[in-house]
Structure formats: structure tokens, C-alpha cells
């Protein structure tokens, strides 16, 4: 049974990467019917639905899976992305906060959380979240870009310039 589950999950991933979204969706839906708590399949299926413009369906899949896997930070991160895409900042922030609580060493979650906080004008909280992302993954140019944007919004042009220069060093064109 575990082998069949892995085969079905990997098949869904291969089909999605090959651009066969409908077939991938079918395979992953079947897997979730058989194993409703297969959180990785839920993540992949939610991505497929969101890419097809079906964000409500994508969010429903994540919410159902959270009922059986409430300690999976990746599910909260995905929930945050979906709420953010729907323009629901308060809900997105709550989901990102939960993701960072469950996975305090996940730089990506701190980056998303901090970026959204900054866009909401919550600069102090944004600085803390983005600072944590930088501590966890200083090699990620996106972290430095977001920190630079925050410094610029706060009027600290020197720090913003330094942040942009660091980002360019991390990811030269």
C-alpha cells in the first residue's frame, strides 16, 4: 500500500511537471480520496487548482488536510499564499504566523510573513520577521531585497542601498 501511495504521488508530480495538469489533478485527487491526510499530495493538488484559477478549491483542500495534519507548517504556509493571492491579508498573516510558530527555522515562511507585514505598513514586525529570515538564510537575495525595501520605506536610504547591493552580490546577473 505504501508503495502504491508513493507511486501515485510521484506520478502526479511527474505529470504536473510535464504540463499534464488535468491528469496530475486526477491522480492526486484519487490519492487524497484514499489517504485524506497525505499532506504533500494536498499541497501539490492545491497548487494545480490555484494555477487553474480555482483558489477556493485549492484553499478547501488545504483546510481539509489541516484537520488531520494540524502540525504541518507547510500547509499553513500554503494557506497563507492562497489567502494572500485572494487579497485576504489578515488571514494570510495568521497562516504565516502559524507556519513560523511550527517551523521557527523556516526562512521562507519568515520572508513571506515579513514581506506581507511590510506591505501592510507594520514596519517593526516586518523588520523582525525579515531579520529572522536573513539570520536563517543570508544567501537568499530576496531577503535582502525585502529588507532594502523596508529600509527605503522607513527613509533609511543608506541601509536600503546596502541591502540592494548585498542582494545583487548574492544573485549577480
Amino acid at each position: 500500500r505504501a508503495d502504491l501511495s508513493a507511486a501515485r504521488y510521484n506520478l502526479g508530480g511527474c505529470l504536473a511537471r510535464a504540463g499534464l495538469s488535468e491528469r496530475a489533478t486526477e491522480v492526486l485527487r484519487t490519492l487524497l480520496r484514499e489517504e485524506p491526510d497525505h499532506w504533500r499530495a494536498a499541497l501539490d493538488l492545491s497548487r494545480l487548482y490555484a494555477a487553474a484559477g480555482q483558489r477556493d478549491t485549492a484553499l478547501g483542500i488545504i483546510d481539509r488536510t489541516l484537520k488531520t495534519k494540524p502540525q504541518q507548517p507547510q500547509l499553513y504556509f500554503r494557506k497563507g499564499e492562497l489567502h494572500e493571492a485572494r487579497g485576504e491579508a489578515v488571514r494570510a498573516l495568521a497562516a504565516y504566523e502559524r507556519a513560523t510558530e511550527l517551523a521557527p527555522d523556516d526562512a521562507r515562511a519568515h520572508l513571506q510573513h515579513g514581506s506581507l507585514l511590510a506591505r501592510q505598513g507594520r514596519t517593526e514586525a516586518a523588520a523582525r520577521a525579515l531579520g529572522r529570515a536573513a539570520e536563517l538564510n543570508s544567501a537568499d537575495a530576496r531577503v535582502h531585497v525585502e529588507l532594502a525595501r523596508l529600509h527605503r520605506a522607513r527613509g533609511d536610504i543608506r541601509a536600503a542601498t546596502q541591502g540592494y547591493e548585498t542582494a545583487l552580490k548574492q544573485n549577480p546577473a
Side-chain angles (χ1 to χ4, degrees):
R1 178 138 169 100
D3 288 342
L4 291 176
S5 174
R8 191 167 275 127
Y9 174 69
N10 289 317
L11 174 60
C14 288
L15 291 167
R17 281 187 289 286
L20 302 170
S21 298
E22 287 181 26
R23 179 75 176 112
T25 298
E26 178 185 318
V27 168
L28 292 171
R29 272 196 341 236
T30 299
L31 175 55
L32 280 177
R33 272 194 303 274
E34 293 174 2
E35 296 181 48
D37 62 344
H38 196 298
W39 64 272
R40 291 181 194 275
L43 284 175
D44 290 353
L45 188 57
S46 78
R47 286 186 188 100
L48 288 167
Y49 277 117
Q54 298 178 43
R55 289 191 188 118
D56 290 344
T57 302
L59 189 57
I61 290 165
I62 295 301
D63 284 337
R64 277 190 303 281
T65 308
L66 277 168
K67 290 177 183 174
T68 60
K69 293 290 186 182
Q71 298 301 311
Q72 271 308 328
Q74 295 91 335
L75 293 171
Y76 287 99
F77 182 81
R78 182 73 186 130
K79 184 173 181 163
E81 289 177 319
L82 290 165
H83 280 301
E84 193 171 349
R86 291 165 46 135
E88 299 168 344
V90 172
R91 289 180 176 176
L93 286 170
Y96 290 144
E97 286 170 15
R98 185 66 180 134
T100 60
E101 289 168 5
L102 292 170
D105 294 334
D106 185 340
R108 188 177 65 140
H110 288 285
L111 172 61
Q112 286 296 115
H113 186 218
S115 297
L116 183 53
L117 285 166
R119 288 193 304 279
Q120 296 296 307
R122 297 175 55 189
T123 58
E124 293 304 316
R128 285 190 300 275
L130 293 171
R132 180 68 177 139
E135 288 172 15
L136 293 168
N137 189 4
S138 63
D140 187 341
R142 296 171 302 170
V143 172
H144 298 287
V145 168
E146 290 300 323
L147 279 167
R149 286 180 181 153
L150 182 61
H151 290 306
R152 186 172 166 207
R154 294 167 119 185
D156 189 345
I157 301 305
R158 183 173 170 212
T161 301
Q162 185 177 15
Y164 286 125
E165 288 174 346
T166 300
L168 289 172
K169 288 177 189 171
Q170 298 297 338
N171 193 11

